[in-house]
Amino acid sequence: MMAEIHAIFPGGSGAREAELKLLALRAIQVQGGTDGSSLTATVDEEVVDRALHLIRQSGGTPE
């Protein structure tokens, strides 16, 4: 099963870093928002906790 995660990055800081880390985690898909301060990632349910941790570690807030 897949899970979709939305995240906001205040001021855009860390969004690109999180995107690269999520891709390294083998996210199915990562889309950066047009504003540069958000992203949406589709990940396998087995790695949801790790994905959320990477987002927070990069300065983001999962929604």
Side-chain angles (χ1 to χ4, degrees):
M1 304 257 330
M2 302 297 161
E4 189 170 273
I5 301 169
H6 302 282
I8 302 293
F9 294 82
S13 178
R16 180 68 179 147
E17 175 186 350
E19 182 177 350
L20 294 173
K21 287 181 177 181
L22 288 165
L23 289 171
L25 187 63
R26 299 193 187 260
I28 307 303
Q29 182 176 15
V30 180
Q31 293 181 312
T34 57
D35 57 5
S37 63
S38 64
L39 64 77
T40 301
T42 304
V43 299
D44 192 289
E45 283 188 359
E46 294 177 5
V47 297
V48 168
D49 289 337
R50 289 176 26 198
L52 293 171
H53 176 74
L54 288 175
I55 290 168
R56 289 184 187 108
Q57 188 178 44
S58 299
T61 303
E63 297 186 324

